[in-house]
Amino acid sequence: MDYREFFSQFKHLSEKPGIGGKIKVFPEDFIVVEEPLPQIFKGKRYAIFLLKKRNWDTMAVIKEIAKRAGISHREIGFAGTKDKHAVTYQYISVPAEIKEKVDAIQIRDVELRFVSYGKFIKLGHLIGNRFMIIVRNVGVNAFERTKEIIRELREKGGFPNYFGYQRFGEKRVVNHIIGKLLLQGKFEEAARLFLGYADGSMEGDEARRNFWETGNVERALEEFPRFLRYERTLLYTYRKTRSWRRAFLSLPMPILRIFIHSYQSYLFNLYLSRRIEELPLNEPLVGDIVVQVKGGIPYRDRTYRVTETNINFVREKIRTGQAMVSGPLFGFSVRKAKGLPGELEEEILEEEGITLETFKKLPKPMAEPGGRRELLIRPMGLIYGYLSEKGMCFRFFLPKGVYATSLLREIMKDH
């Protein structure tokens, strides 16, 4: 199953036909510019560089810079991962004493420019991202169709804030399933899927299929390519401990958390899709949890419940762009909705055979408290138009954690 098939289960909010087309035909078709928090530039212990990369995975380029600078990749800070098949600009922090070394690094399709001194950049140290995206091979009347879709979505309060396909795996769309199996304590089944699932288009797929059929760990260690380092770590640890649980815990914590976050994201997307079908998104209901918004930026840690007493007040806040209805990022201490929204949350958990306590039973570093996320998002500064014979060009700004591909999905209707 590829990501298009996977995403077809999630409803579009816009009912009008899309413009079709393709994104990321060339890396230059997808440009991302990070808007950092101003606080990162306060301090002297770290040197802040602007990193421009083309066709590089964020973690891969961070590791390459670290290797050439002679430091651990953990000493390099960055605010968030960026798309690989794109041209992206983001800020990184390195220890001040190696500024000259980093200045001298030359890597193909990578540029590093010293900006200033500051503090260590942590995940989440950004306001959002600016995008310039070209959609090629669009259908006829693409401009007029775009205009109609955007008008329709503005009337409905914004774009559905789905987690994008990057969260689940573009080719091997299994991260969320592995996450669910880990939550359920089914470590052997999770390992079989992580190691053995092949989509038929990637190097190492034959080795994966062999493991899927035989479960032979020794053979897998011989056949799995070296670049599948996390898979090989899992196999080595299992051979040593004969425990798939211990094998998973030998992986770096960020990798383990990807699986859990992916399953949380899947449940959120399910909730959002069901809400499009059954309940309003831009109209607060008694029992809803609402996220505060300032200057178009949602503050997901500032929430309040809709009651019969304050519903008119909340309705006005939503109308003036100062609040948004939220959906659940399920976890052991998530603030649950009540009323009809709460019933929908419970239905999804029951259908999945999961309870909130399940998120607490994970090994401690993986335990997920959960949170809330706005159901709709309003891109800022959205402009669009034809770009000669290339197709349509879109420019906009999105707060952190919001996927440009989900916004374009409503316009393109490609999946």
Side-chain angles (χ1 to χ4, degrees), residues 112-113 167 179 196 244 266 304 319 337 363 370:
L112 286 160
R113 181 169 65 81
R167 197 79 166 183
W244 287 116
Y266 171 69
Y304 50 94
R319 191 188 68 78

Side-chain angles (χ1 to χ4, degrees), residues 2 21 52 93 104 126 129 131 134 154-155 179 183 195 222 226 245 258 286 293 335 350 354 361 368 379 386 391:
D2 71 3
K52 176 189 175 185
S93 62
L126 75 161
N129 298 286
F131 295 88
I134 295 170
R154 278 183 178 146
E155 287 169 2
L183 275 169
L195 296 166
E222 287 176 19
R226 294 284 168 192
R245 184 179 187 277
I258 281 172
V286 171
V293 179
R335 191 174 187 190
E350 282 174 25
I354 293 285
K361 291 176 183 175
E368 267 299 327
Y386 284 113

Side-chain angles (χ1 to χ4, degrees), residues 230-387:
Y230 299 127
E231 286 86 343
R232 294 181 66 82
T233 297
L234 200 76
L235 289 162
Y236 272 120
T237 310
Y238 177 75
R239 184 170 71 176
K240 188 178 174 183
T241 64
R242 312 309 293 178
S243 163
W244 287 116
R245 184 179 187 277
R246 287 186 188 177
F248 268 106
L249 290 175
S250 72
L251 296 177
M253 197 49 62
I255 301 301
L256 284 175
R257 292 177 75 85
I258 281 172
F259 297 132
I260 306 304
H261 290 164
S262 181
Y263 184 56
Q264 282 180 309
S265 304
Y266 171 69
L267 295 178
F268 175 87
N269 281 9
L270 274 184
Y271 178 85
L272 174 49
S273 182
R274 288 276 292 277
R275 183 130 180 180
I276 288 172
E277 289 183 286
E278 300 172 25
L279 299 170
L281 274 69
N282 200 41
E283 180 71 24
L285 301 174
V286 171
D288 260 323
I289 305 293
V290 172
V291 172
Q292 287 189 39
V293 179
K294 285 187 179 179
I297 305 294
Y299 287 78
R300 296 166 187 141
D301 56 344
R302 300 181 195 171
T303 62
Y304 50 94
R305 189 182 303 283
V306 181
T307 64
E308 289 181 5
T309 309
N310 71 6
I311 191 164
N312 288 329
F313 167 80
V314 175
R315 200 174 278 135
E316 182 61 16
K317 287 284 186 187
I318 289 172
R319 191 188 68 78
T320 56
Q322 297 175 70
M324 293 179 182
V325 176
S326 74
L329 291 173
F330 289 116
F332 62 81
S333 65
V334 67
R335 191 174 187 190
K336 293 165 66 178
K338 294 181 179 177
L340 290 174
E343 288 174 19
L344 182 54
E345 289 181 13
E346 288 297 331
E347 276 176 33
I348 286 170
L349 287 173
E350 282 174 25
E351 287 164 11
E352 287 288 308
I354 293 285
T355 68
L356 296 184
E357 281 298 305
T358 313
F359 289 89
K360 206 170 190 175
K361 291 176 183 175
L362 288 163
K364 233 180 184 179
M366 291 166 63
E368 267 299 327
R372 306 294 301 187
R373 176 183 171 91
E374 62 286 355
L375 296 175
L376 294 172
I377 200 73
R378 296 167 185 159
M380 289 182 262
L382 174 59
I383 57 172
Y384 55 91
Y386 284 113
L387 198 65

